[in-house]
Amino acid sequence: AFKLCQALWKKMRGEEFTDDLELVAMGTVADMVPLLDENRKLVKEGLKRFKTTSILGLEELIRVSGLREQTVTAGNIGFVLAPRLNAAGRIETARSGVELLLAEDVREADRIAGELDALNTERRNLEQSILMEAETFLLDVTPDVSAIVVAGEAWNAGVIGIVASRLVEKYYRPSIVLTRQGDVCKGSCRSIAGLNMYEALSA
């Protein structure tokens, strides 16, 4: 999206577009894009902008996250800022995250940032609850178990991917976590090095 904006700006204005690099850094790190080549340069430049950002919502998100007095790093984005920005989409709708970044009134930005912070706490609690329930099915996991598949009734679909990641971290097995809602199951999966999950599922 940023490269498209740059190309259009260059064509229409005849100059380089270098605004919003803090958002570019946020999106690149949050989506776990490899920090190589141009991506690395964009993130490096974007991180410098967090101290002076004019994006009110981002400023308030930094404040509620307790990072106002710190230099924001890629780690802060990945583990502190992005989870809060994504929390609404995992539990309700991503609209709140968009509204935060578009807010033009500091009180409105403050309100939304506070809501997202609270939703992130709720998301963490949900994640922990589902993880604990999933692990009750895994008490007899032995070294010869090649994969993990767990399912629960009405588990929150927005956090099952995170739960799958936690299971991979703990057991180092490809993991699929399913939520049952009526007659429909919705799942999320995470793999390990050497196993292409798409190919495995296709087979």
Side-chain angles (χ1 to χ4, degrees):
F2 178 68
K3 298 307 292 183
L4 176 61
C5 287
Q6 279 192 315
L8 289 172
W9 194 265
K10 187 77 178 266
K11 189 170 182 63
M12 294 163 63
R13 303 285 183 94
E15 57 189 41
E16 296 297 328
F17 179 76
T18 58
D19 290 347
D20 301 326
L21 280 173
E22 55 269 62
L23 295 182
V24 177
M26 177 87 95
T28 305
V29 173
D31 273 346
M32 295 186 284
V33 176
L35 298 184
L36 303 170
D37 306 320
E38 187 179 22
N39 289 336
R40 187 176 186 83
K41 181 179 178 184
L42 289 170
V43 169
K44 183 180 178 184
E45 292 303 311
L47 287 172
K48 295 176 184 175
R49 306 276 180 99
F50 277 82
K51 275 263 192 246
T52 58
T53 185
S54 59
I55 302 168
L56 289 177
L58 189 54
E59 195 174 347
E60 288 306 307
L61 190 66
I62 290 167
R63 184 189 60 76
V64 299
S65 301
L67 298 175
R68 177 164 273 174
E69 304 306 318
Q70 299 181 34
T71 298
V72 174
T73 65
N76 293 147
I77 293 174
F79 296 104
V80 181
L81 296 174
R84 283 168 171 77
L85 195 60
N86 285 333
R90 293 191 180 282
I91 295 177
E92 297 173 353
T93 165
R95 185 181 301 277
S96 297
V98 176
E99 288 173 351
L100 176 70
L101 295 178
L102 294 177
E104 295 181 355
D105 178 78
V106 69
R107 285 170 299 183
E108 180 72 355
D110 174 61
R111 179 187 65 78
I112 300 170
E115 288 175 2
L116 289 175
D117 191 49
L119 280 172
N120 188 54
T121 299
E122 184 181 341
R123 187 269 308 163
R124 277 201 311 263
N125 292 338
L126 265 174
E127 174 195 325
Q128 197 58 37
S129 171
I130 294 171
L131 179 61
M132 288 172 64
E133 194 176 337
E135 289 198 300
T136 63
F137 303 131
L138 304 174
L139 297 175
D140 56 352
V141 170
T142 57
D144 60 327
V145 172
S146 56
I148 290 171
V149 182
V150 290
E153 204 67 41
W155 283 350
N156 186 292
V159 301
I160 57 176
I162 303 173
V163 173
S165 293
R166 298 283 178 264
L167 294 174
V168 171
E169 287 170 13
K170 181 166 183 179
Y171 297 99
Y172 200 68
R173 305 282 193 287
S175 299
I176 300 175
V177 180
L178 301 159
T179 175
R180 279 193 303 266
Q181 293 168 338
D183 295 331
V184 177
C185 277
K186 182 176 182 179
S188 195
C189 45
R190 298 290 184 272
S191 194
I192 59 174
L195 179 81
N196 184 308
M197 184 64 87
Y198 178 79
E199 290 177 1
L201 290 171
S202 298

